[in-house]
């Protein structure tokens, strides 16, 4: 059995890990369609983002990773970006724009370098008062264990160091769940 690990510490957005957002952003955690979301709403135009920062023992080891999340934007276009920090310098190995009024899957492959100090998952709302951007089902899984044929990882992937049992559900017949 291949061990699948989601390195994001709160993939189901249960609020066990708090995001950072400047005071011009209101952050809350609604449940929409039985899914938990991080929602960032612009209160004042400025640097409009909310982000999760992985450092220290929460930082995935160096390697290639598949990053996935669901994202939604309302009242303006928005972005999801993944940053890596090495030697105090930030790079953006993954960026996806979310058009106003749409929900998208953000999927991509990134490399966490050997000397990486921080990994940031940031959502940037449009610079319009009332603009909203939302994230759910955040996944950071080693690229060699990610398998789109069995639903990728997403919220089905295990939390760190726990075996993923989602693969068994695809072998069951009919409605036997």
């Amino acid at each position: 059995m291949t061990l699948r690990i989601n390195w994001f510490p709160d993939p189901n957005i249960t609020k066990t890990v708090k995001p950072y957002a400047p005071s011009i952003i209101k952050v809350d955690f609604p449940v929409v369609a039985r899914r938990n979301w991080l929602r960032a709403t612009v209160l004042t135009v400025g640097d409009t983002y909310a982000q999760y920062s992985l450092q220290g023992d929460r930082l995935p080891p160096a390697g290639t990773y598949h990053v996935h999340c669901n994202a939604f934007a309302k009242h303006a276009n928005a972005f999801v970006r993944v940053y890596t920090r090495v030697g105090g310098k930030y790079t953006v190995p993954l960026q996806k724009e979310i058009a106003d009024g749409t929900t998208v899957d953000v999927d991509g492959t990134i490399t966490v370098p050997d000397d990486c100090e921080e990994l940031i998952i940031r959502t940037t709302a449009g610079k319009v008062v009332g603009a909203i951007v939302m994230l759910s089902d955040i996944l950071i899984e080693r690229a060699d264990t990610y398998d789109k044929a069995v639903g990728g990882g997403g919220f089905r992937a295990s939390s760190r160091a726990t075996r993923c049992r989602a693969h068994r559900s695809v072998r069951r017949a009919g409605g036997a769940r």
Side-chain angles (χ1 to χ4, degrees), residues 10-74:
D10 190 14
N12 294 320
I13 314 295
T14 61
K15 300 183 269 184
T16 57
V17 177
K18 300 287 185 197
Y20 171 79
S23 61
I24 62 171
I25 294 287
K26 175 187 170 199
V27 172
D28 61 345
F29 303 92
V31 176
V32 179
R34 295 182 303 186
R35 178 178 287 159
N36 297 333
W37 293 82
L38 158 72
R39 176 171 55 193
T41 305
V42 176
L43 302 175
T44 304
V45 175
D47 203 5
T48 55
Y49 67 90
Q51 71 183 24
Y52 288 101
S53 173
L54 305 182
Q55 300 176 27
D57 64 347
R58 290 189 172 173
L59 187 64
T64 304
Y65 291 84
H66 184 87
V67 176
H68 172 87
C69 67
N70 293 315
F72 169 78
K74 186 174 181 181

Side-chain angles (χ1 to χ4, degrees), residues 56-132:
D57 64 347
R58 290 189 172 173
L59 187 64
T64 304
Y65 291 84
H66 184 87
V67 176
H68 172 87
C69 67
N70 293 315
F72 169 78
K74 186 174 181 181
H75 303 306
N77 289 0
F79 286 91
V80 171
R81 293 183 179 101
V82 175
Y83 294 84
T84 56
R85 179 171 56 101
V86 175
K89 293 182 80 173
Y90 291 90
T91 59
V92 182
L94 178 62
Q95 174 175 291
K96 173 112 181 195
E97 185 172 10
I98 306 107
D100 179 20
T102 63
T103 301
V104 299
D105 285 334
V106 176
D107 272 305
T109 301
I110 67 165
T111 298
V112 174
D114 285 327
D115 47 357
C116 188
E117 302 156 346
E118 181 179 29
L119 183 70
I120 295 174
I121 296 87
R122 177 183 281 191
T123 184
T124 306
K127 295 186 184 262
V128 175
V129 172
I132 295 170

